[in-house]
Amino acid sequence: MKYYIIAGEASGDLHGSNLMKALQKRDVNADFRFWGGDLMAAVGGHLVKHYKERSFMGFFEVIKNLRQIFKDFALCKSDIASYQPDVIIFIDNSGFNLRIAKWAKQKGYRTNYYISPQVWASRAKRVHDIKRDIDAMYVILPFEKAFYKTYNYDVTFVGHPLIDAISDRVQVDEFAFRRKHLLNDKPIIALLPGSRKQEITKTLSVMLSIIDKYPDYQFVIAGAPSQDFEFYRPFITHPDVNFVNNKTYDLLSISYAAIVTSGTATLETALFKVPQVVCYKGSNISYQIAKRIITLKYISLVNLIMDKKVVTELIQNDFNSRELKKELDIILDADERKKLFLHYYELEQKLGGRGASEKTADLIFNSIQSIA
């Protein structure tokens, strides 16, 4: 079968690569053509465009790059038409994917969506477009099935693929890891400032502002695969700051605490059972716009899934040195850490266990076979 897959960032690349591996087990002659990244490319097939080339965050970034975005839409449509896939698989990346899905459905292509757009967070009316344009939706968050049910749209909860990604990783040798990355013996506070230049610049300076308050710890920046080391170099000026590139899971596995920019990383940090403070800071105009269209009580996946405050969220003006130190002190306290660990274990149970990629691959492959 011919599979056309569209993913738009590092997490989509990860989940897309695992889905491709699962599909290969069922379809040994699977042919892949995709928009993604290095992990998907390593599985095989043809990479049409890397997500690094189209990573635009924030309203102004999108407006500034509209010409390139429209070129990407045209390229994607023409490439699909030339390839004639048996199924198109969309992975998150709603701004791009929902527009392609509308066109694809009109052209008669089979459309599957793995990892739902966050329509439950804002602009819920998009569900009507999804019902019209997507043949099958596979969701990874437990509350999403109930959300879609309110719109009379039946979706399948497959569990969260991060469970597999984290469980299947090779265990890190802590001593060797510290030695390789020039880390000392102090407990590690991991800094996860995000993957895009704009969010890294906004958050990392605040994260680093409290270093002198914690002489008994070392702070380690988790470099994103989408950014080169040279971008981070200006931030690494303190002797107690180190940098580890593209090894976030290894870093989290040996970390004592973490400061994390809101996104998938908050859930990853929780699954590694690392106490965390969640932060977010954007441009003031982008934040004011987002505040008016996002209808959620929380921004972190941890709190959203648990439907209560488990981790502290410092958003926009609340994300400052004083508040960050106060909240970091709390998660370094032994009694508070025990409470947090119990919440984390409950969270993991809610996510549905292992096998998300395998379940999704089964459903996609069987659906194609049924109409072949």
Side-chain angles (χ1 to χ4, degrees):
M1 299 293 180
K2 297 165 71 175
Y3 305 85
Y4 200 97
I5 306 174
I6 309 175
E9 55 187 14
S11 61
D13 183 33
L14 170 65
H15 302 321
S17 68
N18 287 331
L19 179 62
M20 289 164 68
K21 292 172 189 174
L23 284 167
Q24 284 179 332
K25 294 177 184 177
R26 290 145 185 82
D27 184 358
V28 293
N29 295 316
D31 188 81
F32 298 115
R33 194 170 180 90
F34 53 90
W35 295 52
D38 298 339
L39 296 177
M40 294 172 74
V43 177
H46 180 83
L47 173 62
V48 179
K49 192 158 190 176
H50 203 290
Y51 68 82
K52 291 182 183 179
E53 298 178 57
R54 56 190 195 94
S55 181
F56 310 120
M57 181 184 179
F59 298 98
F60 286 113
E61 279 294 307
V62 170
I63 291 170
K64 189 170 68 174
N65 290 281
L66 272 178
R67 180 176 294 182
Q68 182 58 52
I69 291 169
F70 284 125
K71 285 183 179 178
D72 287 343
F73 282 134
L75 170 62
C76 189
K77 291 174 184 178
S78 65
D79 197 57
I80 290 171
S82 297
Y83 184 59
Q84 290 294 305
D86 293 288
V87 63
I88 303 172
I89 304 169
F90 302 99
I91 300 179
D92 199 359
N93 191 216
S94 63
F96 190 84
N97 279 343
L98 289 180
R99 288 170 174 80
I100 296 297
K102 179 180 180 180
W103 169 87
K105 187 64 177 177
Q106 290 172 346
K107 295 296 183 182
Y109 294 105
R110 184 167 186 80
T111 56
N112 284 193
Y113 219 121
Y114 177 45
I115 307 179
S116 168
Q118 294 181 354
V119 288
W120 36 265
S122 65
R123 294 177 289 158
K125 290 182 179 179
R126 290 179 293 169
V127 174
H128 301 297
D129 295 337
I130 291 172
K131 286 177 65 176
R132 181 193 65 211
D133 299 329
I134 302 299
D135 296 314
M137 170 71 76
Y138 310 110
V139 302
I140 65 172
L141 298 173
F143 60 80
E144 290 178 315
K145 187 172 178 65
F147 168 81
Y148 276 110
K149 193 174 182 65
T150 64
Y151 289 86
N152 296 314
Y153 186 47
D154 189 26
V155 304
T156 305
F157 173 58
V158 293
H160 205 293
L162 281 180
I163 300 286
D164 292 335
I166 290 172
S167 299
D168 293 341
R169 69 183 183 84
V170 177
Q171 296 295 315
V172 65
D173 179 330
E174 181 172 355
F175 176 78
F177 184 85
R178 285 179 180 264
R179 183 176 57 187
K180 178 181 178 180
H181 296 285
L182 306 178
L183 308 181
N184 57 39
D185 294 332
K186 293 179 181 179
I188 293 171
I189 296 176
L191 306 180
L192 280 63
S195 59
R196 298 180 177 93
K197 282 186 169 66
Q198 301 100 304
E199 63 185 352
I200 294 170
T201 302
K202 288 281 186 183
T203 59
L204 195 50
S205 58
V206 181
M207 292 179 178
L208 294 171
S209 68
I210 62 171
I211 292 175
D212 289 330
K213 306 292 184 181
Y214 298 93
D216 295 330
Y217 296 87
Q218 61 183 318
F219 290 70
V220 183
I221 300 169
S226 55
Q227 305 299 338
D228 296 327
F229 172 70
E230 289 304 315
F231 173 71
Y232 293 95
R233 188 187 292 276
F235 297 101
I236 309 171
T237 58
H238 195 287
D240 281 330
V241 176
N242 286 285
F243 176 83
V244 172
N245 189 47
N246 199 20
K247 294 290 181 183
T248 301
Y249 283 7
D250 289 347
L251 176 62
L252 286 173
S253 72
I254 63 171
S255 293
Y256 192 74
I259 306 171
V260 188
T261 296
S262 180
T264 304
T266 63
L267 187 55
E268 292 170 317
T269 303
L271 292 174
F272 274 98
K273 311 300 187 292
V274 179
Q276 63 182 299
V277 179
V278 176
C279 62
Y280 174 81
K281 196 177 188 79
S283 72
N284 189 54
I285 293 177
S286 294
Y287 172 69
Q288 292 300 326
I289 295 172
K291 192 168 68 169
R292 284 160 174 76
I293 64 173
I294 294 176
T295 58
L296 301 174
K297 289 189 293 183
Y298 308 108
I299 64 168
S300 72
L301 283 172
V302 176
N303 292 343
L304 286 168
I305 294 167
M306 296 293 285
D307 195 25
K308 61 184 178 183
K309 179 187 171 184
V310 172
V311 297
T312 295
E313 301 174 353
L314 299 178
I315 305 171
Q316 204 65 6
N317 293 332
D318 289 335
F319 180 45
N320 56 61
S321 302
R322 181 175 58 82
E323 290 297 317
L324 181 57
K325 182 185 184 305
K326 183 179 78 174
E327 297 301 334
L328 185 56
D329 286 343
I330 291 173
I331 64 170
L332 294 178
D333 176 77
D335 290 335
E336 290 297 325
R337 294 170 69 82
K338 290 175 185 176
K339 295 176 189 175
L340 193 50
F341 292 146
L342 291 175
H343 288 308
Y344 280 171
Y345 283 113
E346 183 183 352
L347 170 74
E348 190 166 2
Q349 296 304 308
K350 284 179 176 286
L351 289 175
R354 293 177 59 100
S357 300
E358 300 291 334
K359 293 172 192 172
T360 306
D362 274 338
L363 291 164
I364 292 174
F365 180 69
N366 291 337
S367 70
I368 300 173
Q369 288 287 85
S370 68
I371 60 172

